[in-house]
């Protein structure tokens, strides 16, 4: 289970929204457009869409993050992206760093398509094929030594461009652009902070008493792979960024 604590997020995950401005640029938000922000987190990027003159509804599965987004004065609502209640309402759907948490991508795309007006655009970025491969591999080894299959705990879906492009097409979207690219990501603090912030489903699979040892072993394994000569940490992120347009005819 993954829980988002806004204070922890602000301290250890602010880079997620800081690095999201490229997706906002790809969206090219226009004044007056109705935009749905799927997975708004604490609303840092939603604010940019509002500043561009859009009328934005923001949703997130985390009540804590929605509360933080509302503190910014945003129209933020708790909702599950696979079960959105919107019907033909938005000019665009925007999403940054969220769709890789959705293990039912087709249900999410169907709900997003339903929310869009015909010709509406879906512009998003998510983790792509190979994202945090070294971290997933380290979990595989550390948890296997405790008799746990890390794949059973893996919360992420990191597709290739080909696979996601096919899903978009089958869900009733024309793919305007789609690109997979490595984005090595400097972390603001220790890799164990990243693990405790982003990798809770793996840690939850380990008894409480064993977690400090697991974090230590992870750190030791990742040190030669993700540590810079200066002592910082750089995670091996891979991004999948795309723009798609809702087709008129049903898929
Ligand atoms: C992200 O938020 O972009 C992310 C989260 C977990 C693993 C990799 C990427």
């Amino acid at each position: 289970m993954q829980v988002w604590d806004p204070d922890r997020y602000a301290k250890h995950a602010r880079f997620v929204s800081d690095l999201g401005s490229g997706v906002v640029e790809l969206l090219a938000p226009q004044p007056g457009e109705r935009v749905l922000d799927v997975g708004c987190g604490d609303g840092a990027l939603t604010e940019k869409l509002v500043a561009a003159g859009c009328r934005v509804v923001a949703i997130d599965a985390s009540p804590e993050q929605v509360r933080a987004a509302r503190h910014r004065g945003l129209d933020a609502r708790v909702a599950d992206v696979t079960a959105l209640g919107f019907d033909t309402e938005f000019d665009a759907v925007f999403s940054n760093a969220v769709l890789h948490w959705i293990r039912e991508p087709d249900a999410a795309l169907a709900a997003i398509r339903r929310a869009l007006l015909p010709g509406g655009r879906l512009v998003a970025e998510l983790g792509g094929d190979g994202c945090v491969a070294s971290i997933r591999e380290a979990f595989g080894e550390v948890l296997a030594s405790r008799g746990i299959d890390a794949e059973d705990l893996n919360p992420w879906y990191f597709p290739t461009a080909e696979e996601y492009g096919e899903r978009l097409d089958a869900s009733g979207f024309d793919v305007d652009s789609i690109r997979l690219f490595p984005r090595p990501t400097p972390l603001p603090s220790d890799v164990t902070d990243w693990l405790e912030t982003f990798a809770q489903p793996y840690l939850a699979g380990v008894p409480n008493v064993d977690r400090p040892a697991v974090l230590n072993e992870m750190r030791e394994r990742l040190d030669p792979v993700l540590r810079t000569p200066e002592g910082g940490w750089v995670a091996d992120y891979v991004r999948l960024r795309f723009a798609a347009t809702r087709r008129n005819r049903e898929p």
Side-chain angles (χ1 to χ4, degrees), residues 16 97 100-101 131-132 156 158 194 198 237 239:
V16 174
H100 53 257
W101 292 99
C131 192
V132 293
W156 304 316
F158 295 134
W194 189 94
F198 290 96
Y237 275 45
R239 313 310 286 166

Side-chain angles (χ1 to χ4, degrees), residues 184-244:
T185 300
L187 302 182
S189 52
D190 198 84
V191 74
T192 52
D193 292 320
W194 189 94
L195 295 170
E196 289 184 295
T197 304
F198 290 96
Q200 292 167 16
Y202 286 108
L203 299 173
V206 173
N208 266 341
V209 287
D210 293 340
R211 279 181 209 158
V214 165
L215 285 168
N216 259 337
E217 284 172 43
M218 287 292 292
R219 192 174 195 278
E220 272 168 24
R221 277 178 193 273
L222 292 169
D223 188 283
V225 193
L226 300 183
R227 202 92 192 252
T228 68
E230 295 75 32
W233 293 89
V234 177
D236 49 347
Y237 275 45
V238 176
R239 313 310 286 166
L240 181 62
R241 186 182 290 178
F242 66 88

Side-chain angles (χ1 to χ4, degrees), residues 110-205:
I112 288 171
R113 183 180 187 279
R114 211 171 306 120
L116 281 168
L117 291 156
R121 39 207 218 287
L122 166 59
V123 175
E125 184 172 302
L126 63 152
D129 186 39
C131 192
V132 293
S134 57
I135 293 173
R136 287 183 286 131
E137 196 180 315
F139 266 125
E141 289 161 4
V142 169
L143 297 187
S145 72
R146 290 173 160 75
I148 300 168
D149 184 346
E151 257 325 290
D152 292 343
L153 303 172
N154 180 1
W156 304 316
Y157 165 63
F158 295 134
T160 63
E162 291 70 25
E163 179 187 339
Y164 213 78
E166 281 167 20
R167 284 192 192 282
L168 284 163
D169 181 54
S171 301
F173 290 92
D174 288 327
V175 180
D176 303 310
S177 67
I178 188 161
R179 187 164 75 92
L180 185 79
F181 57 97
R183 194 202 64 199
T185 300
L187 302 182
S189 52
D190 198 84
V191 74
T192 52
D193 292 320
W194 189 94
L195 295 170
E196 289 184 295
T197 304
F198 290 96
Q200 292 167 16
Y202 286 108
L203 299 173

